[in-house]
């Protein structure tokens, strides 16, 4: 990802790969609320929030990534969620001792009804009909972030046990050449079985085969997830805050 893309990722996504989701007014843009709670300003420094006002409805929150927004009486600004941006290295990279898993190491990428993972679980491609279960599962880990149409942002894969969706992972933000891996979660009753690794490897294989690079965001306090991502080869590229914004009373 270029340095021009990184500081204003959501703006770039909504003016390229995800332009069909864009709701905006020229100076500000956002995803529909039922897709994801992300917005962006043309000014990546967030010096003037006023263009966002007409894009919000009472009672909702959206998130700006990056610079601390300037104070305003029209919009509320909450404390940030501090995240790491982590990247999957280029093929052959040994940065921080990590090497990328190339497409050839996974074999063919086609998926039909299901695919057996390393732990004998079956990886299933999620469909729009699975959306209610996907929302319910992610609400266990990070309530409110995954919406009924978030699945439209990219490909999602899941694992079912006894018919119940117990683990999933998929794609969220997208810009040319890059895809974000997101919604990596496992139901608490099914952790410790390697489901997250199997699902992420599935996405990494898809990305490598398509000539895409992978990245993700993770809360800085989530030590368990960060350790997993580092073991898989992800490296920390940046620390970025997510600022909640809402209409002031």
């Amino acid at each position: 990802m270029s340095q021009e893309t990184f500081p204003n990722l959501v703006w770039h996504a909504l003016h390229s790969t995800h332009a069909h989701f864009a709701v905006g007014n020229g100076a500000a843009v956002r995803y529909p609320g039922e897709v994801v709670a992300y917005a962006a300003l043309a000014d990546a420094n967030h010096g003037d929030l006023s263009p966002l006002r007409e894009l919000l409805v009472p009672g909702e929150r959206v998130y700006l990534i990056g610079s601390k927004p300037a104070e305003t009486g029209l919009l509320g600004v909450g404390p940030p969620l501090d995240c790491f941006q982590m990247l999957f290295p280029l093929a052959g990279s040994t940065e921080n001792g990590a090497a990328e898993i190339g497409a050839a190491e996974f074999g063919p990428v086609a998926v039909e009804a299901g695919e057996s993972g390393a732990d004998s679980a079956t990886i299933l491609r999620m469909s729009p009909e699975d959306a209610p279960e996907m929302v319910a599962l992610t609400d266990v880990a990070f309530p409110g972030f995954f919406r009924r149409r978030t699945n439209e942002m990219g490909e999602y894969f899941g694992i079912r046990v006894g018919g119940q969706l117990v683990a999933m992972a998929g794609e969220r933000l997208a810009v040319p050449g890059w895809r974000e891996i997101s919604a990596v979660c496992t139901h608490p009753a099914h952790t410790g079985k390697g489901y997250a690794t199997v699902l992420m490897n599935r996405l990494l294989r898809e990305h490598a085969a398509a000539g895409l690079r992978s990245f993700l965001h993770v809360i800085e306090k989530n030590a368990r997830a960060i350790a997993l991502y580092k073991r898989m080869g992800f490296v920390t590229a940046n620390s970025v805050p997510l600022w909640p914004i809402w209409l002031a009373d």
Side-chain angles (χ1 to χ4, degrees):
M1 184 176 299
S2 70
Q3 290 300 310
E4 291 74 28
T5 299
F6 231 104
N8 212 354
L9 176 60
V10 172
W11 178 271
H12 191 67
L14 286 170
H15 285 82
S16 58
T17 309
H18 279 172
H20 58 289
F21 288 122
V23 178
N25 56 22
V29 68
R30 61 167 295 176
Y31 284 89
E34 64 270 24
V35 176
V36 72
Y38 274 141
L41 296 167
D43 172 19
N45 293 318
H46 303 155
D48 178 15
L49 292 181
S50 60
L52 273 178
R53 189 168 185 266
E54 66 184 79
L55 304 184
L56 304 183
V57 298
E60 77 164 338
R61 293 191 176 199
V62 296
Y63 288 84
L64 296 178
I65 299 178
S67 299
K68 182 178 181 179
E71 296 294 333
T72 174
L74 300 176
L75 296 166
V77 180
L81 296 174
D82 293 316
C83 297
F84 288 126
Q85 287 175 332
M86 303 185 74
L87 310 181
F88 207 57
L90 289 170
S93 170
T94 57
E95 183 179 0
N96 290 355
E100 181 176 11
I101 303 174
E105 297 176 68
F106 288 97
V109 300
V111 175
E112 299 301 331
E115 175 183 292
S116 294
D119 58 358
S120 298
T122 298
I123 298 175
L124 301 171
R125 191 183 298 273
M126 298 286 96
S127 70
E129 289 71 28
D130 297 310
E133 291 179 277
M134 297 166 76
V135 172
L137 177 59
T138 55
D139 276 351
V140 174
F142 29 83
F145 276 86
F146 196 95
R147 310 291 176 83
R148 66 181 183 87
R149 291 181 55 205
T150 304
N151 64 93
E152 296 177 18
M153 298 178 75
E155 294 285 354
Y156 283 83
F157 297 96
I159 292 173
R160 292 184 179 277
V161 174
Q164 177 188 4
L165 182 65
V166 301
M168 62 175 278
E171 299 171 329
R172 190 171 56 173
L173 295 175
V175 293
W178 291 83
R179 294 295 182 273
E180 179 192 25
I181 293 178
S182 183
V184 180
C185 58
T186 303
H187 191 282
H190 296 270
T191 57
K193 300 177 182 179
Y195 292 157
T197 301
V198 169
L199 290 167
M200 289 185 68
N201 278 338
R202 175 64 206 166
L203 286 161
L204 291 172
R205 178 175 72 186
E206 292 268 314
H207 293 175
L212 299 169
R213 288 191 65 188
S214 311
F215 71 104
L216 57 80
H217 290 92
V218 58
I219 299 295
E220 291 185 7
K221 294 181 180 180
N222 193 343
R224 182 176 179 178
I226 292 169
L228 167 64
Y229 302 150
K230 286 184 175 180
R231 287 197 302 271
M232 295 186 70
F234 281 86
V235 295
T236 302
N238 203 1
S239 178
V240 294
L242 275 59
W243 299 93
I245 309 294
W246 64 89
L247 289 175
D249 294 335

